[in-house]
Amino acid sequence: MGGANPVDTGGYESTVERTLSRLRRIDSRPDPAVAAPPPPQDPGAPLTLADLYRDHRMRLVRLAVLLVDEPATAEDVVQEAFAGLHRHWAGLRDEAAAVGYLRTAVVNGSRSVLRRRRTAREYVAPHQVNARSAESLAMLSAEHQAVVEALGALPPRQREVLVLRYYGGLSEAEIAESAGITRGTVKSTASRALDAVARVMAERSGGR
């Protein structure tokens, strides 16, 4: 008798996907504040850490921003991920393995930040520091901005799964590897996360 009314998550799943896919497209554009990339490397030349930093840093920063809400902290998480990659560089000459290592390091680093934040009862308002991040969000519709805010209300693992799936564009297997969970857990967590997003957005839009 006192249960909450069910919320249809179908439309919200589509909105989450559209929002994070749009953010991914926005963030894939060249950053005008960064100098033009150097000419293409010889295909036979060995991969360098500088290549990975240039090609993947901005996407990883946005990934971390979506996980921890605070851009300056996200930058620190990504820098630490690259520092870890440098320490393990000898065994990760393959680009796919190196990018997988970076994604996992960003997820784990973001979890550590959130654990420390919970312990300190600290909250930092999202998206207030990094101009690139603020610019990306400003290009979203009000509905899409509401999705980003709803994602911020999710438990960390639920947020991780949705961000990795729809912003990162990862498969279930890749999400499972990055987040250190099983594929079955990825599916069930995504389902619960979409239900939670639907409820948060419904409450904020219709509960006033």
Side-chain angles (χ1 to χ4, degrees):
M1 131 181 191
N5 292 330
V7 177
D8 177 13
T9 61
Y12 288 100
E13 177 175 11
S14 176
T15 303
V16 169
E17 182 173 12
R18 288 198 311 271
T19 297
L20 295 183
S21 295
R22 175 153 174 71
L23 269 177
R24 182 171 68 242
R25 289 193 299 273
I26 291 170
D27 290 336
S28 295
R29 299 172 186 172
D31 186 345
V34 177
Q41 225 182 347
D42 177 354
L47 180 70
T48 69
L49 195 59
D51 296 330
L52 287 165
Y53 190 84
R54 182 190 66 237
D55 294 343
H56 298 284
R57 175 186 165 277
M58 195 61 234
R59 176 71 63 80
L60 290 167
V61 168
R62 165 57 77 181
L63 174 66
V65 166
L66 289 169
L67 295 177
V68 303
D69 289 333
E70 206 283 307
T73 302
E75 293 270 7
D76 292 341
V77 167
V78 172
Q79 291 294 343
E80 183 56 37
F82 274 100
L85 180 64
H86 181 263
R87 292 191 293 269
H88 294 85
W89 186 242
L92 287 168
R93 293 290 177 167
D94 173 74
E95 181 170 7
V99 172
Y101 175 93
L102 288 168
R103 276 197 307 256
T104 300
V106 166
V107 169
N108 288 336
S110 298
R111 285 177 180 172
S112 296
V113 166
L114 294 176
R115 279 196 298 270
R116 291 195 299 271
R117 186 179 293 170
R118 282 197 304 273
T119 300
R121 308 298 297 172
E122 173 190 354
Y123 176 75
V124 181
H127 313 298
Q128 304 254 322
V129 179
N130 185 288
R132 173 79 167 156
S133 299
E135 176 190 345
S136 298
L137 286 173
M139 297 175 73
L140 297 177
S141 68
E143 180 186 35
H144 289 180
Q145 290 188 28
V147 170
V148 174
E149 291 176 5
L151 287 171
L154 298 182
R157 178 164 290 178
Q158 291 183 10
R159 193 194 318 192
E160 285 170 10
V161 168
L162 292 190
V163 168
L164 290 171
R165 178 175 177 179
Y166 295 118
Y167 178 80
L170 304 189
S171 67
E172 287 180 354
E174 290 170 326
I175 294 170
E177 180 181 1
S178 297
I181 56 181
T182 66
R183 291 181 65 175
T185 302
V186 170
K187 288 183 179 179
S188 60
T189 302
S191 177
R192 287 195 301 272
L194 289 168
D195 183 70
V197 167
R199 291 187 182 283
V200 169
M201 293 185 69
E203 287 166 6
R204 291 180 179 180
S205 64
R208 293 172 182 154

